[in-house]
Amino acid sequence: MNEFISLDPSELSQPSLHHYLLSAVAPRPICLASTISSSGDINLSPFSFFNVFSSNPPIMIFSPARSGRDNSTKDTLDNVAEIREVVINIVNYAIVEQMSLSSTAYEKGINEFEKAGFTSVESTIVTPPRVGEAPVSFECVVDNIVPLGTGPGAGNLVIAKVVMIHVNSKYLDQDRRLDTTQLDLVGRMGGVWYNRCSKEALFAIPKPNSQLGIGIDGLPGFIQQMNYFSGNELARLGNVHVLPNIEDEIRINNNGIIHGNREAKKNEILLIARQLISENEPNKALSLLMKNEAIFSTSQEDQ
Ligand SMILES: Cc1cc2nc3c(=O)[nH]c(=O)nc-3n(C[C@H](O)[C@H](O)[C@H](O)COP(=O)(O)O)c2cc1C
């Protein structure tokens, strides 16, 4: 039995609430926001309260929060209130340490491009420069700034519309599309933790059946109840449009014959079904299981 603790946010200290929120809502993408003040000071800071929220119009939102310590506002927020422009630079593993260094609370007027050793590249449309080392940069105009509160830790949504996109061509595939396996993006977890989306760490999930899967509850009862397959495996099985015709021929091993006693046969069938699921062959896995349903029914001798 799983046990849960239940927490009322109004009874947690601000640091504790911050911990639960940020450790659970993770990994979060990281943007390096480049802004400029009305007196021309350039600022660069990372934000993981960040995402894209619309592609038509192309909208990104990030949130420079009020300091949890002294309730002060961040230079980034002050800057976008003055000059309503920002360049959102995407962070990958190659620049993750420089990104972290740029989060240092340097005094107003200190240029974090220089502190963190980034190349400042002139933007095409907006005034703040972009980060030359970023795999992708989005020049944006600020549509709206929405304060979410006035106390320590209160976020401020900076709603930014993308007006120009710069992509380092080394991350493009032959169709000029971004190659996820090459981008090596990083995400922010709770505390000091990050994650790295290297090629080895990625996996693909076949898109849900466009013809509507039967669902786990549509699988034959003996499969739902056998307590063998994980939720992920059952979901792949439940993604089939219709249950397979069990008369279809299915090769279950080299010679098509499963040897051994009933228990050994059962285990072999389950192992093969699991293998077929992992190879994204749910129909074959289902027809193998359904063909052998009798072997899974609990009989007198099993008890
Ligand atoms: C990976 C990472 C993500 C961060 N995300 C946020 C965030 O979403 N909101 C925020 O207020 N501060 C965030 N910070 C902290 C700010 O980057 C830090 O307060 C920075 O000094 C703000 O700089 P500024 O005052 O020059 O704008 C993050 C820091 C790191 C290292």
Side-chain angles (χ1 to χ4, degrees):
M1 249 274 279
N2 293 317
E3 282 187 19
F4 289 85
I5 60 162
S6 301
L7 306 158
D8 178 345
S10 65
E11 287 175 3
L12 294 174
S13 68
Q14 175 53 32
S16 180
L17 178 54
H18 188 83
H19 159 80
Y20 284 111
L21 295 176
L22 274 73
S23 298
V25 183
R28 298 180 302 284
I30 304 169
C31 80
L32 260 176
S34 161
T35 56
I36 191 165
S37 71
S38 51
S39 51
D41 292 324
I42 289 165
N43 193 89
L44 185 70
S45 296
F47 297 95
S48 68
F49 292 165
F50 159 64
N51 220 308
V52 56
F53 286 87
S54 164
S55 54
N56 183 21
I59 298 289
M60 298 188 175
I61 301 181
F62 67 98
S63 172
R66 285 172 168 274
S67 163
R69 261 169 281 125
D70 59 14
N71 201 19
S72 58
T73 53
K74 307 243 157 121
D75 295 346
T76 304
L77 180 66
D78 301 343
N79 284 357
V80 290
E82 288 171 16
I83 305 285
R84 296 173 77 87
E85 296 176 339
V86 56
V87 182
I88 290 179
N89 302 278
I90 298 302
V91 177
N92 66 359
Y93 188 74
I95 58 172
V96 71
E97 295 279 350
Q98 286 171 279
M99 173 283 298
S100 176
L101 183 57
S102 75
S103 76
T104 311
Y106 293 112
E107 274 173 36
K108 225 181 178 78
I110 297 290
N111 182 339
E112 288 93 356
F113 272 91
E114 288 163 14
K115 284 282 169 208
F118 282 124
T119 310
S120 166
V121 180
E122 205 175 320
S123 291
T124 314
I125 296 183
V126 301
T127 331
R130 66 184 170 90
V131 172
E133 290 77 6
V136 187
S137 299
F138 299 94
E139 293 185 33
C140 302
V141 293
V142 173
D143 256 3
N144 206 353
I145 302 173
V146 183
L148 300 176
T150 52
N156 294 279
L157 302 186
V158 177
I159 303 174
K161 186 158 119 199
V162 178
V163 292
M164 184 60 69
I165 306 172
H166 304 276
V167 182
N168 184 331
S169 52
K170 118 172 157 196
Y171 299 105
L172 293 175
D173 64 18
Q174 44 208 25
D175 300 323
R176 284 166 60 96
R177 292 167 67 85
L178 278 165
D179 184 345
T180 298
T181 66
Q182 296 305 311
L183 274 169
D184 208 6
L185 297 176
V186 290
R188 183 89 195 263
M189 313 293 289
V192 295
W193 294 98
Y194 288 83
N195 79 315
R196 178 178 181 180
C197 302
S198 57
K199 191 174 180 183
E200 302 71 42
L202 298 172
F203 61 94
I205 298 183
K207 287 220 163 135
N209 197 327
S210 54
Q211 295 180 287
L212 297 188
I214 58 171
I216 292 176
D217 61 348
L219 294 171
F222 79 99
I223 297 177
Q224 292 183 50
Q225 282 141 31
M226 66 172 49
N227 218 359
Y228 176 79
F229 295 110
S230 69
N232 282 339
E233 289 168 331
L234 288 173
R236 276 213 172 170
L237 295 178
N239 193 28
V240 300
H241 176 49
V242 283
L243 286 172
N245 181 351
I246 60 170
E247 297 314 317
D248 290 347
E249 205 42 58
I250 163 128
R251 286 176 68 86
I252 48 182
N253 61 14
N254 286 343
N255 54 14
I257 299 162
I258 296 180
H259 299 284
N261 62 22
R262 182 190 164 103
E263 206 48 39
K265 278 185 191 165
K266 216 160 117 173
N267 288 337
E268 188 168 353
I269 290 166
L270 288 173
L271 281 176
I272 297 168
R274 174 163 277 165
Q275 178 66 27
L276 289 167
I277 295 170
S278 76
E279 290 164 1
N280 197 27
E281 296 281 7
N283 279 300
K284 286 187 182 170
L286 279 172
S287 87
L288 172 64
L289 291 166
M290 288 162 65
K291 232 175 195 168
N292 290 283
E293 177 172 355
I295 213 168
F296 293 104
S297 60
T298 318
S299 68
Q300 215 65 27
E301 63 196 82
D302 294 324
Q303 290 168 352

